[in-house]
């Protein structure tokens, strides 16, 4: 039970973020440790001027000792500094021929060596990293000894340095060492930064793959639910525990929603279809009704019922018939509908005509335009229709000069069965509250936007904006 609980925590978003932080810190500290250890292990030889100054101090200290004690102290120096080669030469030794002897100040202030060979820092062979002679020697600066120096290049960046010091008995002590001309660059900080960036990039990639990608897929599946007539898009059951639970719940919710929508559509379509038969029978029987005014009243009511059934079936059958979008010329389709209404004796005219091509389902588009014109004819007695281009959109406008719609009701009247008549009276000019709803639904199916605006001088303007192909 405890193992299951721990496994559930580690598989959650909180647990995986905790693991991510721990891994990031561990990798960061590992990178620092490796870089510092590498920097400490770099063998760096002392620079020429520092080495010269140090050996001058040692020679001055040795010059104060009795001659018989100098060899023993040199052995101790060799043990302390294994990377420095000490020799005690005779006054006539061939190594010291042709040397230029200078004083201490001249040797330390010689511009020929200052800066040219002064890069670098003290290496591991130097005791305690401090200048001057070892602590067992006395104060060196009470005696001044002549100094000579000899430099020999070893390759591109190495130098063999030998410092000669003449003792009071005319013997010479030499100290030799191999040193770099320049200190090797220390890229410790750069290495840490690069190592950290690489590790963080890898961890970020892991977070994107195992955390962010499932979240994006879940968001995509969630957005698909809001699309009109969209098919269920199953969310992937992947990622941490919370995401898997949310994805499973979303999939179940999608199934329930689409089952409810399908059941509602089938029920209303069946009811509408079944009611058409008795309405047709009543229409036939109404022809035998007398007197004439009663017969006309029967037929008027039956026509209203038949119109309601047709609009109900049109509204609830949206998306049930698979019709592929095609490229069509919007102005030609709208002009043909305007001509039909005009030929039927209605005050409908085409005021602006621009040839524009869009991608649409012809039947749905014709129903949308027909509903907009029908609404304008019912409530305003006529309208003018225009098709214009505005930037990358085709703009269809149906303009009437009727009573219009108050601003606070514009959004509500786009819902199904919403009517401006609060009393919901039924007559020849009243509608069923489905015209704008059908038009808005058709516009959304085409990726278009439908907006209601006031007409200059009074009335309503319906504007539908399509994306151009």
């Amino acid at each position: 039970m405890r193992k299951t609980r721990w496994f559930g925590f580690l598989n959650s978003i909180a647990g995986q973020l905790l693991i991510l932080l721990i891994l990031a810190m561990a990798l960061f500290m590992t990178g620092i440790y490796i870089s510092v250890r590498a920097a400490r292990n770099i063998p760096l030889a002392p620079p020429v001027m520092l080495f010269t100054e140090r050996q001058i101090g040692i020679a001055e200290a040795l010059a104060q000792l009795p001659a018989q004690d100098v060899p023993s102290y040199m052995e101790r120096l060799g043990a302390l500094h294994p990377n420095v080669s000490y020799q005690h030469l005779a006054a006539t030794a061939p190594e010291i021929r042709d040397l230029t002897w200078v004083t201490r100040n001249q040797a330390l202030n010689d511009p020929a060596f200052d800066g040219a060979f002064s890069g670098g820092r003290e290496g591991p062979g130097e005791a305690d990293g401090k200048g001057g002679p070892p602590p067992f020697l006395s104060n060196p600066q009470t005696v001044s000894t002549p100094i000579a120096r000899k430099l020999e290049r070893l390759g591109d960046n190495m130098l063999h340095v030998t410092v000669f010091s003449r003792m009071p008995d005319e013997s010479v002590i030499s100290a030799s060492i191999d040193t770099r001309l320049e200190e090797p660059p220390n890229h410790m900080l750069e290495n840490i930064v690069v190592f950290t960036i690489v590790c963080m990039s890898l961890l970020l990639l892991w977070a994107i793959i195992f955390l962010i990608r499932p979240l994006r897929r879940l968001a995509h599946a969630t957005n698909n639910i809001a699309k009109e007539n969209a098919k269920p898009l199953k969310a992937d059951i992947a990622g941490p525990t919370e995401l898997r639970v949310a994805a499973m719940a979303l999939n179940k919710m999608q199934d329930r929603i689409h089952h409810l929508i399908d059941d509602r559509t089938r029920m209303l379509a069946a009811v509408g279809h079944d009611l058409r038969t008795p309405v047709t029978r009543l229409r036939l029987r109404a022809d035998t009704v007398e007197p004439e005014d009663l017969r006309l009243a029967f037929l008027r009511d039956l026509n209203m019922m038949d119109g309601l059934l047709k609009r109900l079936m049109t509204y609830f059958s949206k998306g049930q018939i698979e019709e592929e979008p095609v490229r069509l010329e919007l102005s030609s389709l709208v002009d043909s509908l305007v001509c039909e209404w005009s030929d039927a004796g209605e005050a409908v005219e085409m005021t602006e005509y621009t040839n524009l091509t869009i991608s649409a389902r012809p039947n749905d588009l014709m129903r949308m335009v027909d509903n907009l014109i029908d609404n304008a004819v019912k409530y305003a007695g006529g309208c003018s229709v225009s098709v214009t281009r505005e930037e990358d959109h085709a703009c269809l406008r149906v303009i009437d000069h009727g009573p219009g719609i108050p601003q606070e009701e514009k959004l509500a009247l786009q819902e199904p069965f919403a009517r401006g008549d609060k009393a919901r009276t039924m007559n020849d000019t009243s509608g069923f509250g489905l015209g704008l709803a059908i038009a808005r639904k058709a516009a959304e199916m085409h990726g278009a936007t439908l907006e209601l605006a006031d007409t200059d001088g009074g009335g309503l303007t319906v504007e539908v904006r399509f994306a151009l192909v």
Side-chain angles (χ1 to χ4, degrees):
M1 183 68 180
R2 184 173 297 177
K3 290 183 178 179
T4 304
R5 185 181 302 171
W6 274 105
F7 177 78
F9 172 73
L10 294 177
N11 202 34
S12 65
I13 294 179
Q16 294 197 12
L17 288 177
L18 178 62
I19 295 173
L20 179 65
L21 292 176
I22 293 174
L23 289 177
M25 291 300 299
L27 291 174
F28 183 74
M29 297 305 297
T30 302
I32 294 178
Y33 176 78
I34 293 174
S35 298
V36 171
R37 284 294 302 271
R40 287 180 177 177
N41 292 332
I42 295 176
L44 298 178
V48 174
M49 299 304 296
L50 179 61
F51 178 72
T52 302
E53 182 180 5
R54 186 177 184 83
Q55 299 312 314
I56 291 175
I58 293 175
E60 291 175 347
L62 290 174
Q64 302 176 55
L65 298 175
Q68 64 274 13
D69 295 337
V70 172
S72 62
Y73 277 97
M74 291 185 63
E75 291 180 2
R76 295 176 66 180
L77 286 172
L80 283 174
H81 308 292
N83 60 329
V84 181
S85 175
Y86 289 98
Q87 289 184 337
H88 195 181
L89 305 175
T92 59
E95 292 89 342
I96 63 175
R97 294 176 183 174
D98 302 326
L99 291 178
T100 301
W101 297 91
V102 296
T103 64
R104 172 193 177 95
N105 291 336
Q106 289 175 329
L108 296 180
N109 297 322
D110 187 354
F113 301 111
D114 190 11
F117 308 111
S118 59
R121 56 192 176 102
E122 187 177 1
E126 296 297 308
D128 303 326
K130 300 177 182 179
F136 58 83
L137 295 176
S138 60
N139 184 13
Q141 297 187 8
T142 58
V143 178
S144 179
T145 59
I147 302 299
R149 184 166 50 196
K150 187 177 181 180
L151 305 176
E152 298 179 24
R153 284 190 176 272
L154 302 176
D156 294 334
N157 63 336
M158 294 297 294
L159 193 68
H160 183 75
V161 183
T162 304
V163 177
F164 300 91
S165 302
R166 190 180 294 280
M167 298 290 101
D169 60 356
E170 298 300 324
S171 63
V172 176
I173 294 177
S174 68
S176 301
I177 193 172
D178 293 337
T179 183
R180 288 187 176 93
L181 290 176
E182 297 179 356
E183 178 185 2
N186 187 355
H187 298 295
M188 181 177 64
L189 182 59
E190 291 82 353
N191 293 337
I192 293 174
V193 172
V194 172
F195 185 80
T196 304
I197 291 176
V198 172
C199 294
M200 290 300 181
S201 300
L202 294 176
L203 292 174
L204 180 61
L205 180 62
W206 173 79
I208 291 174
I209 294 176
F210 293 101
L211 294 178
I212 299 178
R213 183 181 294 178
L215 277 173
R216 287 181 176 176
R217 291 177 178 173
L218 182 64
H220 179 65
T222 305
N223 289 332
N224 186 71
I225 299 177
K227 294 180 179 178
E228 189 69 36
N229 298 314
K231 295 181 179 179
L233 179 62
K234 297 294 183 179
D236 294 337
I237 311 299
T241 303
E242 291 88 348
L243 290 181
R244 292 202 301 270
V245 172
M248 289 187 290
L250 180 66
N251 291 338
K252 292 180 181 178
M253 182 183 69
Q254 286 193 86
D255 292 338
R256 289 196 294 268
I257 290 175
H258 282 275
H259 286 158
L260 288 173
I261 293 175
D262 291 341
D263 292 343
R264 181 205 66 176
T265 302
R266 283 194 298 268
M267 179 191 69
L268 291 175
V271 170
H273 184 273
D274 293 343
L275 285 176
R276 297 289 295 277
T277 301
V279 168
T280 303
R281 292 174 183 170
L282 288 173
R283 188 187 300 278
L284 294 174
R285 291 171 183 171
D287 291 336
T288 62
V289 174
E290 294 180 357
E292 182 68 16
D293 55 347
L294 181 62
R295 184 178 69 83
L296 293 177
F298 267 112
L299 290 176
R300 182 170 61 252
D301 291 341
L302 289 174
N303 288 333
M304 293 175 60
M305 291 180 61
D306 189 54
L308 175 60
L309 291 175
K310 287 182 179 179
R311 286 182 177 261
L312 280 173
M313 294 182 67
T314 298
Y315 180 80
F316 288 110
S317 65
K318 283 291 183 182
Q320 303 302 315
I321 300 175
E322 295 293 338
E323 183 182 9
E324 293 296 328
V326 297
R327 293 167 60 97
L328 55 86
E329 210 285 309
L330 178 61
S331 297
S332 298
L333 183 145
V334 174
D335 186 58
S336 64
L337 290 173
V338 169
C339 290
E340 291 180 4
W341 281 90
S342 179
D343 293 342
E346 302 293 346
V348 180
E349 61 176 346
M350 190 87 173
T351 56
E352 290 188 67
Y353 189 108
T354 305
N355 294 323
L356 300 172
T357 303
I358 64 172
S359 176
R361 299 175 177 87
N363 291 330
D364 289 337
L365 185 59
M366 290 179 66
R367 276 194 292 265
M368 181 193 73
V369 178
D370 192 64
N371 272 282
L372 294 178
I373 296 177
D374 181 62
N375 277 351
V377 170
K378 282 181 179 178
Y379 294 102
C383 65
S384 59
V385 183
S386 66
V387 176
T388 59
R389 175 169 184 165
E390 296 183 2
E391 296 181 352
D392 295 332
H393 292 83
C395 187
L396 166 67
R397 289 187 177 89
V398 178
I399 306 169
D400 66 58
H401 295 278
I405 299 176
Q407 184 65 35
E408 61 273 11
E409 296 182 9
K410 283 185 172 62
L411 187 61
L413 290 180
Q414 297 181 44
E415 299 297 326
F417 304 106
R419 295 171 54 190
D421 180 12
K422 302 298 182 181
R424 302 188 68 84
T425 56
M426 298 294 290
N427 51 50
D428 292 339
T429 61
S430 65
F432 306 107
L434 287 173
L436 287 177
I438 293 175
R440 189 191 67 173
K441 203 169 189 179
E444 291 175 350
M445 291 179 63
H446 289 88
T449 60
L450 186 146
E451 297 179 357
L452 304 181
D454 295 330
T455 305
D456 293 339
L460 180 69
T461 297
V462 182
E463 179 180 302
V464 186
R465 299 172 66 89
F466 299 88
L468 291 174
V469 177

